Amino acid sequence: MAVATVAVLVAAAGGALWLAARRFGGHGVQTRQGEGDCGLMRGKTVLITGANSGLGRATAAALLRSGARVIMGCRDRARAEEAAAQLRGELGGAGGSGPGQLVVRELDLASLSSVRAFCRQLLQEEPQLDVLINNAGVFQCPYMKTEDGFEMQFGVNHLGHFLLTNLLLGLLKSSAPSRIVVVSSKLYKYGDINFEDLNSEQSYNKSFCYSRSKLANILFTRELARRLEGSNVTVNVLHPGIVRTNLGRHIHIPLLMKPLFNLVSWAFFKSPTEGAQTSIYLASSPEVEGVSGKYFGDCKEEDLLPKAMDEAVARKLWDISEVMVGILK
């Protein structure tokens, strides 16, 4: 191995170990688990998409601990049931005798018919919905299309959640005060809304298309907040930071670099529990009661680039999204 390569590896490893020492020495991300143990969400029903792993699972665990009834909306029913069983075991049998109640429901955001079927069942079975957390996502996948012919990242990250939210708005309004939480990404900064090629059929760049879907999440949140004024339903959007999850499963890392990547990610990336803190905060904290249309990171409001605050683009995206998912007026 070349001397320069060894030097880089040693430097990276040293940096990783130094940051790890800082984190475990008490200077890392502060979690809000103490809030979750006091029954803050008792009597509340929360729907979390993609709750079987990563950020969604960590968010579900915290809200269960705080007494919430949590509905896991997941594409893979078997994996969701397995995650639910693990959560019940970790939290003392949530689902009957534990701190909160856990329910698993099949929801494939890459299928509009699945979204509609899920919502029909939920509206029949659930008398209230206090919090909707649009958490599930697809990250930098090869070019592929959803069941309905949409580019996968735009289809799942934006359109699937757009339809889900709209179909559940009536229940959220009747359950008010209620909250909607949307998980976006700092990578929105590298995206753009190209209305001439939303389906990426003219050209496809997986990184750009992910960023575009995350920008769409923010524009959707801001337009929805405008439409919900006076309803006592709030909606906010967040970025979780860089988190160690399986979201990057489509990213290819050379075999020889994986040990270094794993070391760096362990030291520099947030854990799912740390990454979930802003979702938990927006879903449950009294501090953000009545706050709507804002962008958060690390449980604090942050500024947005002008392109994420363009009201004309947000309205046009909303109108086109309605047509794409078949919402009838």
Side-chain angles (χ1 to χ4, degrees), residues 301-318:
E301 186 180 340
E302 296 188 0
D303 294 330
L304 285 165
L305 294 180
K307 66 180 176 181
M309 299 187 291
D310 190 318
E311 294 183 1
V313 172
R315 293 182 188 186
K316 184 174 180 179
L317 178 63
W318 183 286

Side-chain angles (χ1 to χ4, degrees), residues 258-284:
K258 283 188 176 179
L260 176 59
F261 176 80
N262 291 337
L263 177 62
V264 170
S265 66
W266 174 77
F268 286 83
F269 296 1
K270 293 180 181 179
S271 69
T273 296
E274 292 169 334
Q277 294 309 304
T278 307
S279 293
I280 298 164
Y281 174 71
L282 291 176
S284 63

Side-chain angles (χ1 to χ4, degrees), residues 2-327:
V3 174
T5 303
V6 172
V8 170
L9 292 174
V10 170
L17 291 174
W18 173 80
L19 190 65
R22 278 189 85 237
R23 170 172 290 180
F24 292 105
H27 300 286
V29 176
Q30 296 298 311
T31 63
R32 309 178 76 89
Q33 297 301 316
E35 283 187 10
D37 293 332
C38 64
L40 184 64
M41 296 294 286
R42 187 164 291 117
K44 304 285 189 181
T45 296
V46 181
L47 166 60
I48 307 173
T49 66
N52 61 291
S53 64
L55 291 173
R57 187 186 188 283
T59 303
L63 296 178
L64 276 168
R65 191 177 293 111
S66 69
R69 170 183 168 80
V70 175
I71 302 170
M72 302 171 65
C74 303
R75 178 180 59 83
D76 190 321
R77 181 67 180 255
R79 289 182 58 198
E81 292 286 5
E82 181 180 353
Q86 292 171 352
L87 283 170
R88 292 185 183 108
E90 293 169 10
L91 301 176
S97 59
Q101 189 176 22
L102 190 58
V103 179
V104 174
R105 292 287 180 265
E106 186 174 331
L107 170 62
D108 183 357
L109 291 160
S111 165
L112 298 183
S113 62
S114 175
V115 174
R116 292 181 184 279
F118 170 87
C119 290
R120 281 195 299 270
Q121 181 180 6
L122 186 140
L123 292 172
Q124 290 172 358
E125 296 178 352
E126 301 295 333
Q128 70 182 66
L129 180 61
D130 302 281
V131 183
L132 167 61
I133 303 179
N134 290 334
N135 165 83
V138 180
F139 179 72
Q140 295 193 12
C141 60
Y143 187 76
M144 58 183 75
K145 291 186 175 182
T146 67
E147 177 181 286
D148 304 279
F150 306 126
E151 185 275 312
M152 185 63 71
Q153 296 185 89
F154 189 75
V156 170
N157 298 352
H158 170 59
L159 291 175
H161 282 121
F162 178 87
L163 178 61
L164 176 75
T165 304
N166 273 279
L167 293 178
L168 297 178
L169 275 182
L171 183 57
L172 285 159
K173 289 178 180 179
S174 67
S175 306
S178 54
R179 304 181 183 188
I180 302 168
V181 178
V182 179
V183 179
S184 182
S185 166
K186 274 189 174 181
L187 293 176
Y188 86 86
K189 297 176 181 180
Y190 305 103
D192 217 349
I193 304 298
N194 178 6
F195 288 110
E196 303 304 316
D197 191 26
L198 284 178
N199 224 23
S200 302
E201 293 175 330
Q202 297 174 22
S203 64
Y204 180 71
N205 178 290
K206 63 183 182 180
S207 299
F208 169 81
C209 286
Y210 177 75
S211 295
R212 178 166 64 189
S213 72
K214 296 289 101 178
L215 174 58
N217 288 157
I218 297 172
L219 292 167
F220 162 67
T221 297
R222 291 179 58 81
E223 175 62 12
L224 180 58
R226 185 186 70 82
R227 292 169 179 251
L228 288 174
E229 287 179 2
S231 68
N232 215 10
V233 180
T234 61
V235 54
N236 292 290
V237 62
L238 68 104
H239 74 81
I242 304 176
V243 186
R244 296 190 303 274
T245 72
N246 64 356
L247 192 63
R249 58 188 176 277
H250 294 294
I251 303 300
H252 174 70
I253 300 171
L255 185 62
L256 292 177
M257 294 299 294
K258 283 188 176 179
L260 176 59
F261 176 80
N262 291 337
L263 177 62
V264 170
S265 66
W266 174 77
F268 286 83
F269 296 1
K270 293 180 181 179
S271 69
T273 296
E274 292 169 334
Q277 294 309 304
T278 307
S279 293
I280 298 164
Y281 174 71
L282 291 176
S284 63
S285 176
E287 295 175 12
V288 289
E289 184 176 350
V291 175
S292 193
K294 305 301 183 180
Y295 173 68
F296 286 80
D298 291 329
C299 302
K300 298 185 295 291
E301 186 180 340
E302 296 188 0
D303 294 330
L304 285 165
L305 294 180
K307 66 180 176 181
M309 299 187 291
D310 190 318
E311 294 183 1
V313 172
R315 293 182 188 186
K316 184 174 180 179
L317 178 63
W318 183 286
D319 292 341
I320 290 177
S321 297
E322 284 187 329
V323 174
M324 294 178 81
V325 302
I327 292 178

